[in-house]
Amino acid sequence: MSHTPRKRFGQHFLHDRDVIERIAAAIAPRPDDTLVEIGPGEGALTAALLRRLAHLHAVELDRDLVPRLRARFGAALSVTQADALHFDFAALAPPQGDLRIAGNLPYNISTPLIFHLLDSTAQIRDMTFLLQREVVERLAATPGGKDYGRLSVMVQYRCAVDRLFRVGPGAFSPPPKVDSAVVRLRPYRVPPHPAQDEAHFARLVAHAFTQRRKTLGRSLRTLLTPARFAAAGIDPMRRAETLSVAEFAALSDAAGIPADQRGLT
């Protein structure tokens, strides 16, 4: 019996075999890889991956799908019924920290889930996701464009972003109202533009884009004096969407805010 997709879980199940094979080929798992699939659904991509893997981990929120997946794939699939937004992915990483993650992510949780995964990038080799195309454009956006924002900066600080290919609505059941795309995120072992205090960097970026229509001098006035902007070589009349990741890191380092004041927003 087929499973009726649930709107509250944002379920759009892949059914196009060509697309499924193309995604599996892009992931290109080796037989001994430690790979986690997020949201396997009815197991379409799962089956394609297990033709290339000896064993696969999966995290599925829908409790009705979990026994079906276990019955279909047996010992080859270790499936955990859990909310991926709160799941400890690092716990599945092998000793060398070479975890791979993939999945057709529900549109309604894709951005918060990516932020959650950024906390575990030290244990992750790569992440390959099928996402709403708009989200992929934001992940890969460059400074100055309308798609460039907090998500762009925080992901690009941690990862190289590779846009792979588009997927049309007809590849899903039910078809979504938007186009999708496949993207690969490859965490850096060492960020190319490391900030001295990454927690402060994250807060500064979030604060800057919360008021993105304002100049940085206005939006960050509680965090940075004109002298601090000058020390970073950043014009306070610029807006957040014009700064590169390297410039945000320089601005964060120049802030020089005492530790007990770094929570200011």
Side-chain angles (χ1 to χ4, degrees), residues 4 43 45 72 92 97 140 163 177 189 251:
T4 301
L45 180 59
R72 178 178 178 184
L92 295 178
R163 286 179 286 194
K177 296 179 180 180
R189 295 285 72 95
L251 200 57

Side-chain angles (χ1 to χ4, degrees), residues 3-155:
H3 178 82
T4 301
R6 293 178 173 173
K7 187 175 181 179
R8 68 190 178 98
F9 291 155
Q11 291 174 336
H12 295 275
F13 298 138
L14 273 171
H15 67 80
D16 187 306
R17 292 184 180 179
D18 290 340
V19 171
I20 292 164
E21 284 300 317
R22 193 176 180 190
I23 294 171
I27 297 168
R30 296 190 299 263
D32 59 347
D33 279 346
T34 301
L35 177 63
V36 185
E37 183 185 3
I38 298 173
E42 294 183 311
L45 180 59
T46 311
L49 292 172
L50 281 173
R51 287 194 288 272
R52 297 162 168 85
L53 277 168
H55 182 265
L56 177 67
H57 296 275
V59 178
E60 174 57 58
L61 177 61
D62 190 335
R63 64 180 70 250
D64 290 341
L65 288 171
V66 172
R68 298 184 186 197
L69 289 164
R70 288 173 176 159
R72 178 178 178 184
F73 297 108
L77 179 70
S78 296
V79 57
T80 302
Q81 193 276 315
D83 184 344
L85 286 170
H86 305 290
F87 187 76
D88 182 9
F89 287 90
L92 295 178
Q96 67 273 26
D98 204 22
L99 184 66
R100 307 190 70 194
I101 300 177
N104 169 24
L105 300 190
Y107 294 163
N108 56 348
I109 67 160
S110 58
T111 297
L113 180 54
I114 289 169
F115 273 108
H116 173 58
L117 289 165
L118 291 179
D119 291 335
S120 300
T121 50
Q123 287 79 41
I124 297 171
R125 186 205 310 174
D126 61 15
M127 300 177 276
T128 305
F129 297 132
L130 177 56
L131 300 167
Q132 185 175 348
R133 185 169 67 87
E134 177 184 332
V135 175
V136 173
E137 295 300 322
R138 289 166 56 202
L139 290 170
T142 55
K146 63 181 179 62
D147 294 323
Y148 188 74
R150 180 188 174 212
L151 180 65
S152 318
V153 174
M154 296 309 300
V155 169

